[in-house]
Amino acid sequence: MSARNKLRGSDLLAQRWTKQDLAKLIDIEHDGVNLVEFFPKGIPDPDGGWGTWHVKPDALLKFLGTLLKHDKIPGVWVFPKGIGPVDGFDVGFQAGSARER
Amino acid sequence: MGFIRSARIVQIHPTRRCNLRCLHCYSDSSPEAGDELPPELVTRVLGEAATLGYDVVSVSGGEPFMYQPLPRLLAAAKAAGMRTQLVSNGLAITPSRLNAVTGLLDQLAVSIDGMPEDHDRMRAQAGAFRRLGDRLAMVRDSGITLGLVFTLTMWNVHQIEWAVEFALASGAQLLQIHPLEASGRAAGLADDVPDEIEASAALVECLRLQRAVGCQLTIQVDVATCGGLRQIMACTDRQVPLRISDAVSPLVIEPDGTCVPLEYGFPRDYALGNVSETSLHALAGRWMEHVLPAFASGMTRMDARLAEMGEGVVVNSYALAREVLSGAAG
C-alpha cells in the first residue's frame, strides 16, 4: 500500500472512539476553553467528528490534563496563536469516524 | 547548552555486524558488515569518557551480542564507575552470551517495531517476533532489568497501547518510544518518519498510558513540546561548560572510531575526530576550543526555531538539532 493511501497511526487511534466517548468530549466545560467549531460525521447517526477549542494560555495545561482523564484520547493537536507573544492556542481534535480534515 | 538531562551518556557502537538486515537500520548494519572497534581501544576510550564526566555507557550497533569482546567492554565501563545499558534486536541472545554479561549489564533493551506482523516486516524476517518470546523470558530470569524500545512511525501510534500491554506481560520495566530516523538503510523511508501530528499523538498517548499503569512501567517518549525542550536547554545554558560532558550528551562513538555529538551519523562539521587516531581527552579539548562556539551558536538558532514554532508544538529534539545544525559549523 502506498504512503498516500495508508491511514496514519493517529487516524487509527481516532477510530477507536464510540458515540458515548464523543459526547463526553464535546461536553467538556473548562474556564478559558471554548469549543468554537464541531463537525459531526456519520449522518444521520454521528459516530465521530472533528472540531477546535480556543484555549487561553493559562488554561492549556489544565485543559490537556482534563483530556488525559478520558479513557481514550482522540487525535489532538495544539497550535499556538499570536505574533510574538502567544495569546492563545487552538486545540484541534478528530474522533470516531472522522479521519480527515 | 544542548539538552543535557540527568545522565551523561556515552553511546558506543562497537560493531556494524548484525544477525539481521532491518529495513530501518540507521547504521546500515548487516551480517556482512565487518568493521569493529578493537577491545583495547574501547577500554581506553571508556576510561577517558568517565574522567570527562560521562556516567552511563549505552551499547548499540550493529548487534552488541555479535561483538565478541562485549563482556570486556562492559567490565571496562563498570571498572570506570559507569552504569551500563545495551540495545539488542533480541534474537542473538543465548544463555551463554547472557551469562557472560550478567553482573556487568544494568539494563538490556530489546527493540520491537510494532505488532508481530509489522515487526517481522521491518526486521525482514518472518517469525522474528515469535522467536523473541523465549529470549525476553531469559533476560527477565537473569535479573537484568529488561526494557523495550518501540520504533514510532507515521503508522503505528495506535499500537503503543499494545506495546505497553506486551511490556507488562514480558516483565519489562521500561518502554522507550523512539521516532524512526531516516538515515542509513532507512534513508528511503522518509514517508514513514512521524510528523508533528503523530509525535503529538504519541506524547498524549504515552501520558495517558503512564497514568494508567502507574509505577509498574516507565514509559519514555523521545519527543517533547517546544516549551519543555526550551526549559531543558535554558537550565543547561546557565552553566558555563567546563567539560565536554557539560555540553554534549550523548557522545557517540561509531564503529570506525569517529566520535560525534548527539546521534549516530551527526553532521561531520561537529565531529570530535577519530578515537583510533587520538585520545578522547585530546579530541574533547580541541572540540571545546574550536567547535563549541559553532555548536553553541547552533543551539541558539535551535532555541529561536523552537520559540517560533510555539510552546505546545511537539518535536523530535535530535532530528531538529541535526536539521538546524546541518552544514552550519564555522
Side-chain angles (χ1 to χ4, degrees):
Chain A
M1 187 185 288
S2 75
R4 188 173 296 176
N5 298 326
K6 241 171 140 174
L7 286 179
R8 289 163 167 271
S10 55
D11 290 335
L12 294 165
L13 201 58
Q15 281 182 14
R16 291 184 187 160
W17 272 56
T18 64
K19 281 181 280 187
Q20 289 75 21
D21 294 322
L22 192 64
K24 274 197 254 174
L25 185 71
I26 59 178
D27 282 346
I28 288 176
E29 286 187 6
H30 221 291
D31 284 345
V33 175
N34 288 310
L35 181 65
V36 293
E37 56 179 356
F38 174 66
F39 290 83
K41 289 280 187 111
I43 295 167
D45 188 14
D47 61 350
W50 61 266
T52 308
W53 290 283
H54 283 179
V55 182
K56 291 184 178 166
D58 55 0
L60 181 68
L61 287 179
K62 200 168 173 194
F63 178 56
L64 291 177
T66 302
L67 285 182
L68 289 174
K69 286 181 191 150
H70 282 250
D71 292 340
K72 299 170 195 167
I73 301 290
V76 171
W77 54 97
V78 180
F79 289 110
K81 295 178 70 180
I83 297 168
V86 173
D87 57 21
F89 294 89
D90 275 355
V91 176
F93 71 92
Q94 57 178 8
S97 65
R99 298 196 294 270
E100 294 174 19
R101 285 197 62 171
Chain B
M1 183 171 322
F3 20 92
I4 306 264
R5 301 179 198 207
S6 54
R8 292 167 187 227
I9 301 169
V10 60
Q11 188 185 87
I12 190 158
H13 301 254
T15 181
R16 278 179 55 241
R17 201 142 51 85
C18 187
N19 49 332
L20 298 179
R21 194 192 308 274
C22 301
L23 301 184
H24 63 327
C25 183
Y26 56 80
S27 61
D28 211 6
S29 299
S30 71
E32 294 80 35
D35 44 347
E36 66 177 41
L37 295 171
E40 303 76 25
L41 174 69
V42 170
T43 303
R44 192 247 299 159
V45 167
L46 291 179
E48 289 183 285
T51 61
L52 288 167
Y54 290 98
D55 54 4
V56 175
V57 62
S58 177
V59 189
S60 189
E63 167 53 47
F65 281 105
M66 302 291 282
Y67 182 63
Q68 295 278 342
L70 178 64
R72 191 167 159 189
L73 181 160
L74 296 172
K78 279 285 168 201
M82 301 167 104
R83 282 182 289 137
T84 53
Q85 303 171 346
L86 181 155
V87 183
S88 166
N89 64 45
L91 295 184
I93 298 174
T94 63
S96 61
R97 284 174 177 158
L98 199 57
N99 194 41
V101 300
T102 301
L104 300 171
L105 185 57
D106 296 316
Q107 185 177 79
L108 198 165
V110 172
S111 307
I112 55 170
D113 299 315
M115 294 168 86
E117 191 182 324
D118 291 347
H119 180 85
D120 288 2
R121 186 169 35 78
M122 204 63 120
R123 299 278 150 182
Q125 190 166 104
F129 187 87
R130 181 179 43 77
R131 292 194 287 126
L132 272 183
D134 293 348
R135 271 79 168 185
L136 296 181
M138 228 187 281
V139 177
R140 194 185 50 222
D141 295 345
S142 72
I144 298 170
T145 301
L146 173 65
L148 296 178
V149 184
F150 178 94
T151 306
L152 179 71
T153 70
M154 194 75 169
W155 322 110
N156 67 5
V157 69
H158 64 296
Q159 295 183 6
I160 294 177
E161 185 169 9
W162 167 87
V164 167
E165 286 164 8
F166 181 73
L168 289 171
S170 305
Q173 292 178 35
L174 170 74
L175 175 66
Q176 182 183 4
I177 311 296
H178 189 78
L180 175 70
E181 296 167 25
S183 58
R185 199 174 295 126
L189 299 179
D191 284 345
D192 296 334
V193 174
D195 62 9
E196 297 87 356
I197 291 175
E198 298 311 295
S200 311
L203 185 60
V204 174
E205 182 70 344
C206 287
L207 289 168
R208 176 182 79 83
L209 290 163
Q210 184 69 77
R211 184 186 286 248
V213 301
C215 57
Q216 296 176 80
L217 178 72
T218 300
I219 305 171
Q220 177 193 323
V221 57
D222 293 345
V223 298
T225 61
C226 290
L229 195 54
R230 291 188 75 209
Q231 278 180 20
I232 293 169
M233 292 169 73
C235 285
T236 43
D237 269 347
R238 289 192 204 111
Q239 305 146 11
V240 177
L242 299 175
R243 299 179 296 180
I244 191 164
S245 62
D246 297 328
V248 172
S249 174
L251 182 71
V252 181
I253 315 285
E254 299 184 355
D256 65 355
T258 303
C259 182
V260 291
L262 303 186
E263 66 174 2
Y264 193 100
F266 202 76
R268 272 17 192 185
D269 288 344
Y270 298 92
L272 281 77
N274 195 307
V275 289
S276 61
E277 294 160 5
T278 315
S279 74
L280 183 58
H281 275 137
L283 292 178
R286 214 158 59 201
W287 192 90
M288 294 292 281
E289 193 178 339
H290 298 293
V291 185
L292 179 62
F295 187 77
S297 128
M299 284 295 146
T300 304
R301 287 198 305 281
M302 179 159 162
D303 184 64
R305 173 80 76 86
L306 290 167
E308 264 172 41
M309 291 167 85
E311 194 151 304
V313 175
V314 176
V315 291
N316 173 349
S317 52
Y318 293 119
L320 185 66
R322 183 193 283 253
E323 183 194 322
V324 172
L325 273 71
S326 201

